Amino acid sequence: MRIQKPGIRPVIIAALVAAPVIALGACSQDGADSNAAATACEGPGVVVSEAWMRAARAQQPMSAAYLTVCNGADADDALIGVSFAGAQHAELHQTTMKEGGVASMTTSPELALPAGEFASLAPGGGHIMLMGLEKAFEPGDAPVMQLQFKNAPSIEVVLEVRAASEQSR
Ligand SMILES: [Cu+2]
């Protein structure tokens, strides 16, 4: 049996929360498996953090948004729907790497939110695809996204728009 050193857990949690910030790559590039970043979290209820989207130029048809969700409730939940005023359509996607390093995207019906754990949509893994963008999105903008859950009430989150230069570090 391993002895748990007191004080070590907060450090690990902080590192995992920060991971989406450091994670690299666009939805068509490789990256860490964000779904592996599950660790204990505390609510109350469903709490969203690290909500951001990639900047998009005028006429650019698509972009992607990412976020981290802590399900601090006692029961499992799931993110089952998203809506975004600045796009004709928004849906959950999952990027998977095939042999030969070719990335492909599939729609995913929901993001599972196990009770007491973090779940992330991060570059290289899950993302919210924003299709049919109706305008440009630049750093400093504060677009709002609605998130629908199986159990928890809907939440509105303000997305941070991150510049192209930050996207490909
Ligand atoms: Cu996608």
Side-chain angles (χ1 to χ4, degrees), residues 27-28 62-64 91-95 104-107 125-131:
C27 78
S28 57
M62 290 193 271
S63 188
E91 64 186 30
L92 284 165
H93 277 189
Q94 182 66 37
T95 301
S104 69
M105 292 193 297
T106 50
T107 57
H127 52 276
I128 296 163
M129 202 86 223
L130 306 172
M131 291 171 286

Side-chain angles (χ1 to χ4, degrees), residues 106-139:
T106 50
T107 57
S108 106
E110 61 177 43
L111 172 67
L113 302 173
E117 291 184 9
F118 285 106
S120 289
L121 298 174
H127 52 276
I128 296 163
M129 202 86 223
L130 306 172
M131 291 171 286
L133 294 182
E134 287 157 358
K135 59 187 275 299
F137 291 92
E138 297 169 347

